[in-house]
Amino acid sequence: MTELQQTPLNATHRSLNARMVDFGGWDMPVNYGSQIDEHRAVRTDAGMFDVSHMRVVDFTGDRARAFFEYALANNVGKLQTPGRALYSCMLNSNGGVIDDLIVYRFADDNFRTVVNAGTAEKDIAWFGQLNAEGGFGLTITPRRDLAIVAVQGPNARDKVWQVAPSTRSATELLKPFNAAKIENTPFGELMVARTGYTGEDGFEIVIPATEVCAFWDALQRQGVRPAGLGARDTLRLEAGMNLYGQDMDEDVSPLDAGLAWTVDLNSPRDFVGREKLEADGMQQAFVGLILHKDNGKAAGVLRAHQKVVTPQGEGEITSGTFSPTMQESIAFARVPVGVKPGDIVQVQIRDKALPASVVKLPFVRNGKVLAG
């Protein structure tokens, strides 16, 4: 049996009596007792997640911008100021999603990406292949010396500033999808990004692996609640955020995964997968579902791979859960083009066909219910 990989916070999670699970080959906390309480802490106050299993990769070289213009479906030409970030899919030649990632530009010759844990080695190999084939001449450096902590919630930023006051002046005016590097903090050099995977405000903080345990402990003393993979999943689903491997993969176009907004087909640049996307267009719609209640009670729980029956044909749920915020069963589904918000569809749950409403995503953002 292959030994599970561990983040630098592994012993800390275990000291907090976290329930640990195998998450794509990593030993990760699913919760620390109550997934519901962790979810609500993020929606109402502040919670923190160990996301150090994700991989930071640095890129340096004169043609770094040109490399990302070719490698990504979104356009890094939008990144004009230092620290500006962009969410994008990285596609194969068939238009399928190799990975979704965030790229940060600090200068035209200095970029950083954060890629998913389960695809990290594949991504790094793909970066290397594109770099060599295109003659970009970049130095590509996977950073195994860094950890990442996501601090999320309406009070998250204030609590980070209490723990690391020297970060405040550099990040107080930071707009969403921007980052700053701060050298003189009690925890060494930090990259503080105003990004997240919960639908709430907050920071994702890249920190030296040697300092992350002290940082985590300091945040906990300020009342930031540790949260695990369970709350991370319900939060991201409420927020309408895709999960790689469930809502898209190498066989799914971003146009069929509700990610058309991340694909720039307006600029004249060439990028990997563009030709296939333009030839095929959108083949399926990506929508939200809310299961109808039966006498005021949940009739079931929407889960991945359940069949969705519509007047236009069949579809399938890609992610589903019971929403702690809405107290409803919610899901993402890939359905035939023509299905739209306001429609009623039938979801096959065990031996029953149960009605669900089609809604526009997201379900919840910044603590407010937007769908339903």
Side-chain angles (χ1 to χ4, degrees):
M1 181 180 294
T2 304
E3 187 173 347
L4 295 179
Q5 298 184 77
Q6 298 182 1
T7 75
L9 283 162
N10 188 271
T12 298
H13 300 318
R14 292 185 173 278
S15 73
L16 295 171
N17 297 315
R19 183 164 75 86
M20 307 295 286
V21 297
D22 178 351
F23 183 70
W26 287 82
D27 190 35
M28 296 295 291
V30 69
N31 62 59
Y32 300 82
S34 171
Q35 176 179 324
I36 299 297
D37 288 347
E38 293 164 23
H39 178 108
R40 289 176 176 156
V42 173
R43 286 279 179 253
T44 62
D45 184 16
M48 59 183 171
F49 304 83
D50 177 14
V51 288
S52 306
H53 57 308
M54 300 182 74
R55 186 71 58 82
V56 175
V57 187
D58 286 339
F59 299 76
T60 55
D62 292 342
R63 299 192 65 206
R65 180 185 284 278
F67 172 83
F68 282 106
E69 286 178 345
Y70 179 65
L72 301 182
N74 212 339
N75 188 0
V76 297
K78 302 171 186 176
L79 307 182
Q80 295 295 320
T81 54
R84 190 80 173 88
L86 185 73
Y87 173 71
S88 181
C89 292
M90 181 165 61
L91 309 181
N92 57 30
S93 59
N94 289 322
V97 181
I98 292 174
D99 196 11
D100 66 321
L101 53 83
I102 294 179
V103 59
Y104 301 87
R105 173 197 172 270
F106 293 101
D108 277 347
D109 61 354
N110 181 0
F111 282 70
R112 168 173 283 181
T113 66
V114 178
V115 301
N116 284 307
T119 59
E121 298 307 322
K122 176 182 70 172
D123 291 357
I124 291 165
W126 183 248
F127 290 141
Q129 180 181 331
L130 294 182
N131 186 36
E133 291 176 353
F136 291 99
L138 303 188
T139 298
I140 301 175
T141 308
R143 300 293 301 273
R144 293 177 173 83
D145 59 323
L146 299 174
I148 312 175
V149 176
V151 189
Q152 303 280 288
N155 297 324
R157 295 197 301 150
D158 281 334
K159 294 195 174 186
V160 170
W161 293 329
Q162 291 170 23
V163 166
S166 56
T167 65
R168 183 164 192 151
S169 61
T171 62
E172 192 166 18
L173 300 179
L174 205 63
K175 293 180 180 179
F177 267 79
N178 282 268
K181 288 183 177 179
I182 303 129
E183 293 183 0
N184 298 316
T185 84
F187 310 99
E189 180 178 290
L190 305 182
M191 187 192 89
V192 181
R194 198 170 174 193
T195 53
Y197 193 49
T198 63
E200 297 296 330
D201 201 0
F203 291 135
E204 291 181 308
I205 300 161
V206 178
I207 182 172
T210 53
E211 301 292 335
V212 70
C213 291
F215 183 60
W216 182 277
D217 291 345
L219 287 168
Q220 194 169 358
R221 287 194 296 272
Q222 289 296 334
V224 181
R225 184 170 187 137
L229 293 171
R232 190 165 179 252
D233 194 56
T234 53
L235 288 159
R236 69 93 189 172
L237 215 158
E238 287 185 349
M241 296 177 173
N242 290 28
L243 175 63
Y244 188 84
Q246 279 192 215
D247 305 308
M248 72 287 200
D249 57 32
E250 291 197 33
D251 296 321
V252 176
S253 158
L255 305 182
D256 295 342
L259 296 173
W261 61 275
T262 72
V263 178
D264 174 27
L265 294 173
N266 295 320
S267 63
R269 72 193 171 93
D270 185 27
F271 62 83
V272 179
R274 176 170 186 153
E275 183 177 351
K276 185 66 171 174
L277 293 186
E278 291 185 318
D280 291 353
M282 188 176 76
Q283 302 288 308
Q284 294 176 294
F286 192 79
V287 300
L289 299 180
I290 299 177
L291 188 66
H292 291 191
K293 290 184 176 180
D294 184 9
N295 292 322
K297 296 181 180 179
V301 179
L302 300 178
R303 299 292 187 195
H305 308 301
Q306 291 169 344
K307 184 168 68 174
V308 181
V309 179
T310 83
Q312 292 87 350
E314 292 184 357
E316 184 180 41
I317 287 177
T318 59
S319 287
T321 193
F322 186 80
S323 162
T325 303
M326 299 169 63
Q327 292 293 295
E328 306 267 13
S329 189
I330 63 173
F332 303 157
R334 206 163 2 258
V335 295
V337 173
V339 176
K340 60 187 184 303
D343 290 350
I344 305 297
V345 299
Q346 302 292 317
V347 180
Q348 195 69 36
I349 301 180
R350 299 186 181 89
D351 58 346
K352 295 181 179 179
L354 300 179
S357 294
V358 179
V359 298
K360 182 180 178 181
L361 296 171
F363 299 100
V364 178
R365 281 288 173 95
N366 296 314
K368 295 180 181 179
V369 176
L370 303 178

